[in-house]
């Protein structure tokens, strides 16, 4: 299998962190240069019609895009350790937390970067300062909310690492581009980020 990714790209990092936490070996990682448009070539578009990464090439003519879908596939092929739940309730509960994280924290952080940073203009052709600011405000409000949730739980979805932690880490670390990181104003989120930094996921380069 080949996984197409790019340095500093948060959605592919969600998958490479998932691979690291599972201890999967043997997936070839191919890094594309997004600034040079390597993801917009006809050959790549044939695998990823929206010209997006991550893209997983299964090597038999089948491909997958969408970071969560790729993680679902890998969870099925490499079930241990489970990162998406062990039974029906856990799977639903982790999905609930993962969707909360993705839609309400990581996505706003990414939109803040895409619309707010001059360097991202190469990818975000319609940069809009108002969009950047409104996503910034949403992300900061939700960082406080997740901070409160983490007051009495070790990980985002409870007492075990799950994909929700990786989704959060991908978004939070991407915001370092704007020099934001959890600090003493969100002490539980900071404790969680420090703890994640010591794990295999935290060692994966941004
Ligand atoms: N929902 C998709 C989002 C994928 C995505 O936006 N990937 C970015 C990199 S993090 C990308 O390919 N950007 C290329 C571009 O904007 O031209 C997922 O979770 O995989």
């Amino acid at each position: 299998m080949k996984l197409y990714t790019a340095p500093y790209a948060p959605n592919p990092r969600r998958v490479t962190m998932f691979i690291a936490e599972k201890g999967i070996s043997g997936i070839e990682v191919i890094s594309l240069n997004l600034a040079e448009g390597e993801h917009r070539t006809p050959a790549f578009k044939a695998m990823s019609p929206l010209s997006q990464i991550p893209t997983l090439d299964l090597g038999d003519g089948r491909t997958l895009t969408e970071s969560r879908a790729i993680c679902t596939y890998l969870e099925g092929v490499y079930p241990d350790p489970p990162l998406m739940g062990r039974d029906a309730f856990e799977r639903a509960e982790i999905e609930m937390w993962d969707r909360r994280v993705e839609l309400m924290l990581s996505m706003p952080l990414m939109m803040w970067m895409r619309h707010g940073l001059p360097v991202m203009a190469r990818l975000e052709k319609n940069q809009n300062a108002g969009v950047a600011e409104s996503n910034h405000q949403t992300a900061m409000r939700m960082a406080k909310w997740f901070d409160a949730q983490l007051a009495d739980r070790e990980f985002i979805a409870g007492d075990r690492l799950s994909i929700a932690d990786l989704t959060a880490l991908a978004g939070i670390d991407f915001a370092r581009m704007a020099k934001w990181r959890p600090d003493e104003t969100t002490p539980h989120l900071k404790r969680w980020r420090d703890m994640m930094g010591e794990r295999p996921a935290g060692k994966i380069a941004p």
Side-chain angles (χ1 to χ4, degrees):
M1 285 191 278
K2 291 180 185 164
L3 179 70
Y4 290 86
T5 171
Y8 303 105
N11 291 295
R13 186 165 178 248
R14 188 185 190 187
V15 177
T16 49
M17 290 191 293
F18 194 87
I19 289 170
E21 288 288 346
K22 282 202 174 270
I24 301 169
S25 58
I27 298 180
E28 186 184 351
V29 176
I30 298 172
S31 191
L32 299 182
N33 186 332
L34 300 189
E36 295 293 325
E38 286 181 356
H39 59 310
R40 298 216 167 98
T41 63
F44 191 72
K45 258 189 137 148
M47 288 191 291
S48 176
L50 291 171
S51 287
Q52 285 184 334
I53 50 167
T55 295
L56 185 70
D57 176 1
L58 273 62
D60 59 3
R62 295 180 296 171
T63 54
L64 285 170
T65 63
E66 290 297 331
S67 48
R68 198 179 203 283
I70 293 171
C71 291
T72 299
Y73 176 73
L74 295 175
E75 178 88 351
V77 177
Y78 304 95
D80 291 315
L83 297 178
M84 299 176 88
R86 293 165 296 185
D87 59 28
F89 182 77
E90 256 189 33
R91 277 193 290 279
E93 192 179 35
I94 287 170
E95 184 175 341
M96 174 182 81
W97 281 103
D98 194 40
R99 286 181 65 80
R100 283 177 178 162
V101 167
E102 180 168 13
L103 298 176
M104 298 163 84
L105 179 65
S106 291
M107 188 72 81
L109 286 169
M110 291 178 204
M111 294 297 277
W112 172 30
M113 300 303 107
R114 280 188 75 107
H115 282 273
L117 296 179
V119 69
M120 295 300 292
R122 283 177 300 193
L123 293 179
E124 189 59 61
K125 303 292 179 212
N126 300 310
Q127 276 194 326
N128 180 316
V131 172
E133 187 44 31
S134 106
N135 278 282
H136 178 204
Q137 286 176 17
T138 301
M140 295 303 102
R141 192 175 68 248
M142 292 311 298
K144 288 257 180 221
W145 189 82
F146 280 104
D147 177 63
Q149 308 309 306
L150 284 164
D152 57 3
R153 53 177 62 215
E154 190 176 4
F155 295 99
I156 292 198
D159 59 2
R160 296 161 62 95
L161 180 88
S162 76
I163 187 173
D165 297 288
L166 309 182
T167 306
L169 196 59
I172 285 171
D173 284 1
F174 190 48
R176 288 181 175 195
M177 290 184 83
K179 304 202 183 332
W180 179 80
R181 63 185 66 202
D183 61 14
E184 51 289 338
T185 62
T186 51
H188 308 296
L189 194 61
K190 181 177 185 312
R191 186 267 310 154
W192 168 89
R193 173 62 189 87
D194 291 345
M195 179 265 298
M196 290 299 293
E198 298 304 315
R199 298 193 57 99
K203 311 280 185 215
I204 294 293

